[in-house]
Amino acid sequence: THVMRSVTETVARVLRADGAVILDRSSEGDFEIMGCSSGISLEAVSVAALADRAHMTAAPVVLRTAQEVSFAAPVLGSEGFASALAVMIPGGDIDFGTLIAVSRDERIFTSQDLNFLHSVANVLAAAVDRARAKARLEELLDSKDAFVASVSHELRTPLTVVNGMAMELSDHWQHLSPEEMAEFT
């Protein structure tokens, strides 16, 4: 969360916005705040409509006026925000979430602002995908280690019996009857 907060602080500062928020998108499509800049206090419900729109269209959402904000994200508009910029954070298997910058003033976000937000979203996506891949790899390695330990344990018991029989046969073969020899063999 420290990293996510730092990212939102940087986005807000670079875009000269009142704040920024990073939403995580669950596999069910629900959103949860992963990071929020200190300049604002938002709940996921405040920006969920905006995030949904960015994900449904797979395109940036640019709201320049209070009227546009009130129409597209009514809860955000009721909290006094007059402009917003939202981009989807792409993921390897599923889109990770949404990166949103908000302002209390009506403003025009430039193409440079949009490019910056896309760049940050792409870097976030790569970092999240890498972290998820690392966690999955560690999980697979743990699973492999557990499997090897289980197989090793399961093989050790019968091999101990076979080894014991072979040693008995090797040490005492000259004193064994043909029936005992056949049984050990």
Side-chain angles (χ1 to χ4, degrees):
T1 57
H2 172 71
V3 171
M4 298 296 186
R5 184 176 185 115
S6 177
V7 169
T8 58
E9 295 289 345
T10 301
V11 166
R13 187 175 58 253
V14 169
L15 295 181
R16 296 168 322 280
D18 289 313
V21 63
I22 298 171
L23 298 176
D24 181 21
R25 183 175 187 220
S26 72
S27 56
E28 294 83 31
D30 299 325
F31 293 100
E32 177 183 328
I33 292 185
M34 296 299 292
C36 188
S37 61
S38 59
I40 57 172
S41 177
L42 290 175
E43 299 292 324
V45 68
S46 302
V47 289
L50 195 55
D52 273 337
R53 189 168 175 192
H55 285 271
M56 285 190 302
T57 62
V61 177
V62 182
L63 306 175
R64 295 180 177 100
T65 67
Q67 185 178 8
E68 289 177 1
V69 171
S70 292
F71 177 76
V75 178
L76 189 63
S78 70
E79 293 178 2
F81 292 96
S83 57
L85 178 61
V87 296
M88 185 174 55
I89 302 171
D93 299 330
I94 183 172
D95 298 328
F96 165 65
T98 314
L99 177 57
I100 302 171
V102 295
S103 181
R104 295 192 185 283
D105 298 322
E106 290 187 358
R107 60 171 291 189
I108 296 174
F109 289 100
T110 67
S111 61
Q112 290 171 333
D113 294 338
L114 183 58
N115 288 339
F116 172 74
L117 207 60
H118 267 297
S119 296
V120 172
N122 289 333
V123 169
L124 277 172
V128 168
D129 281 344
R130 189 172 48 251
R132 287 179 178 171
K134 181 182 178 201
R136 178 71 178 130
L137 180 60
E138 288 172 354
E139 181 182 297
L140 289 172
L141 287 173
D142 290 345
S143 176
K144 178 212 47 127
D145 291 346
F147 175 74
V148 168
S150 175
V151 167
S152 174
H153 174 74
E154 292 299 322
L155 287 176
R156 199 172 295 126
T157 301
L159 288 177
T160 301
V161 173
V162 170
N163 190 40
M165 293 274 212
M167 288 178 67
E168 187 67 26
L169 187 57
S170 174
D171 292 346
H172 304 291
W173 67 271
Q174 63 269 53
H175 304 296
L176 298 175
S177 68
E179 295 83 23
E180 291 174 318
M181 197 78 117
E183 185 179 329
F184 275 107
T185 304

